[in-house]
Amino acid sequence: MATPPVQVGWVRPADNSKHPYKEAAVVVHPEGTKSPPGLVEHRPGAPARIVVLVSGSGTNLQALIDAENAEKAQHADEAQHAGKAQQAAKAEPAGPAFGATIVAVGADRTGIQGLDRAEQAGIPTFALRVKDFATREDWDRALRDKVAEYEPDLVVSAGFMKLLGPDFLAAFDGRVINTHPALSPSFPGMHGPADALAYGVKVTGCTVFFVAGGVDDGPVVAQAAVPVEDGDDEASLHERIKTAERALLVDVVGRLARHGWTIDNRKVTFQ
């Protein structure tokens, strides 16, 4: 089988607007290969630029904000203990605790706690409601263009309750991650914890994956197991899954930010 051609350079929006996306290498596989096609490699800058999309309370967003703030506090503490400014300048910086900065938070609705959390943290926000656009496709393109303004290395769907359309995903190919409260490919869709209980599994969990256009079916980045306990109902199980999910998301975003990543069809590796 012939090796597919490699395209290396700046990846731009389909409409060739002024906002360039980050440098990436993409191997284009033969027509008919399921998305995401071929090989995607991305090496973020330092710190990596993150746009987070939310629809509700923003607890996953808060976990990311806390991780970024913890890194800032660590660096401030190191500078304080370095003593004189000259000594601080000569001191070798410690390795990044997180490695990412949230440059914007977007939503598909207004008046939600997720946007409040971002504003309280001093992060730029925007909201694009589907009902304000003539078609869903128009909304998808508007969301694409708005996110592109912030030139993200990574887009994090953190409780974002809208499916991202083909125009958006084509613009940010291999750079959009989402979470799912089950161990993919098991129990996709809106009711992962309930479906796991109904099936009678003894272990479920959560998954962070790259979005590929289907329902919770993109390439898996990482997973965490959560045991199903006797007496669990949907609420108690889901709460433990969400706790594991927040920790996993912070770990994954940090690793992607610090090391970069490769997606070779369905196999995801950190560089």
Side-chain angles (χ1 to χ4, degrees), residues 28-229:
V28 182
H29 277 216
E31 185 176 355
T33 302
K34 292 183 179 179
S35 66
L39 178 72
V40 174
E41 295 178 336
H42 192 66
R43 298 168 293 278
R49 298 171 60 83
I50 310 297
V51 171
V52 183
L53 302 178
V54 298
S55 290
S57 63
T59 54
N60 280 350
L61 166 65
Q62 188 63 56
L64 295 171
I65 292 173
D66 292 346
E68 183 179 353
N69 287 341
E71 180 178 21
K72 292 177 181 176
Q74 174 190 342
H75 291 170
D77 185 66
E78 289 167 356
Q80 182 179 2
H81 286 82
K84 297 178 181 180
Q86 186 176 8
Q87 292 175 324
K90 292 180 179 179
E92 292 186 7
F98 187 50
T101 183
I102 303 170
V103 295
V105 173
D108 63 331
R109 61 197 71 188
T110 57
I112 60 172
Q113 189 178 359
L115 291 178
D116 292 340
R117 291 179 190 271
E119 290 166 0
Q120 290 168 8
I123 301 170
T125 64
F126 61 89
L128 297 175
R129 303 183 302 176
V130 174
K131 66 180 182 180
D132 293 334
F133 294 85
T135 67
R136 183 64 176 263
E137 291 75 20
D138 288 341
W139 171 83
D140 187 64
R141 286 188 286 268
L143 181 64
R144 173 200 65 191
D145 294 343
K146 189 64 181 177
V147 170
E149 291 179 12
Y150 297 95
E151 299 183 8
D153 290 293
L154 188 68
V155 180
V156 181
S157 179
F160 191 60
M161 301 307 291
K162 293 290 188 296
L163 288 176
L164 297 168
D167 285 313
F168 187 97
L169 294 179
F172 301 101
D173 184 33
R175 285 186 287 145
V176 184
I177 62 171
N178 197 359
T179 63
H180 179 59
L183 295 174
S184 298
S186 299
F187 313 122
M190 297 289 290
H191 308 291
D195 292 342
L197 281 173
Y199 198 85
V201 299
K202 303 304 181 184
V203 176
T204 183
C206 53
T207 301
V208 177
F209 62 95
F210 280 101
V211 179
V215 178
D216 304 323
D217 65 349
V220 171
V221 184
Q223 295 179 303
V226 175
V228 179
E229 297 179 356

